[in-house]
Amino acid sequence: MKVAVVGATGMVGQVMLKVLEERDLPITELIPVASERSVGNKVKYKDKEFTIVSMDDAIAAKPEIAIFSAGGNTSLEFAPKFAEAGTTVIDNSSAWRMDPTKKLVVPEINANVLTKEDKIIANPNCSTIQLVMVLHPLNQKYDIKRVVISTYQSVTGTGKAAVDQLNSEVKGENPEKVYPYQIFKNALPHCDVFSDDDYTKEEIKLMKEPKKILGDDTFNLTATAVRVPVQGGHSESVNIEFENEFDLDEVKKILSETPGVVLQDDVKNNQYPMPLYSEGKDEVFVGRIRRDLSQPKTLNLWIVADNLRKGAATNAVQIAEYLTEHNLV
Ligand SMILES: NC(=O)c1ccc[n+]([C@@H]2O[C@H](COP(=O)([O-])OP(=O)(O)OC[C@H]3O[C@@H](n4cnc5c(N)ncnc54)[C@H](OP(=O)(O)O)[C@@H]3O)[C@@H](O)[C@H]2O)c1
């Protein structure tokens, strides 16, 4: 199977190559793609060097699957061209996520919606993926009424240039800024751009995407997304109000038995999820699980995951695995 990795030089693309190495997709040919600036440069995959090709050369090679992590505009322009050539595109950008004709997939939750006809498949936003991995099993059991989310998001979520900004600021330099302010020693309540209603696009993604993935629009979400000077992963403080009463031990049991979720909840021994320790891992970590004492049927918890792994590359590769295992490409 030929697989193109579009955006292979980027923050997500580099992790994508690593995740593809680790997992079992039957890849016979890897086709790395990046911008015209990088064509001819090399990337490493399985200890070998591969030359970056142009978008047009990659389309002409007719890969079975193309995994895009190269920004929304690149996806809008080129994903349909790959699809026309018969390639199935798995797209990490926000370009197609809320398009009603495209599927938005977290394999543990809704891979069963995929068919052979889906030629452009959307990978959800990184902070959405870790959130729904925890919301889904709880929604099935207790029926969610409302969710309030506050995020603490890693600079790796903004891409290579943002990591460079933080690293330079740590050294006392005054680099070119990706964010409107210094990020080192700071917290910016500003992830992605502001929309007309004064929410950021990141917050709107968190409020809309979970309903589509869970196939349930009977509950509501609200979000505040904050960028922090952290690199290992995104953290989320989540308040969940249910329609039905829950038992705290049962909640913990359900989450501990959910594939892809790891329960880290032992406060007496200072056990709770942290981004420093989620880096490089595929699982979603959940802890600090406790009743909201201010109102009934309501829970507080804390979710952490590596946004470049389960939040992007791993989820996309899992979709590719599902497609091949079910003969959908
Ligand atoms: N970072 C995350 O946690 C995360 C999570 C989920 C989704 N995403 C999405 O994934 C995408 C990439 O994010 P990133 O963080 O990896 O960004 P990044 O580090 O800035 O990398 C961007 C990549 O896109 C390539 N690219 C840019 N313009 C292109 C063009 N016109 N044609 C082909 N390739 C082009 C770049 O190639 P050059 O090196 O040649 O410039 C580079 O490989 C974005 O759409 C982002 O929203 C990111």
Side-chain angles (χ1 to χ4, degrees), residues 6-13 33-38 55 69-72 74 78 92-94 97 124-126 156-161 234 307-308 311-312:
V6 179
T9 53
M11 206 85 226
V12 175
V33 189
S35 77
E36 291 297 332
R37 294 181 291 276
S38 302
M55 209 63 108
S69 314
T74 311
F78 288 100
N92 259 312
S93 81
S94 56
R97 290 178 189 149
N125 181 40
C126 41
T156 56
T158 318
K160 249 181 342 194
H234 293 346
N307 50 296
L308 297 173

Side-chain angles (χ1 to χ4, degrees), residues 151 181 183 186-192 194 198-200 203 224-228:
T151 70
Y181 297 97
I183 184 68
N186 208 355
L188 311 183
H190 180 178
C191 298
D192 207 333
F194 283 100
D198 291 352
Y199 281 83
T200 62
E203 289 161 353
T224 303
V226 181
R227 189 74 59 191
V228 290

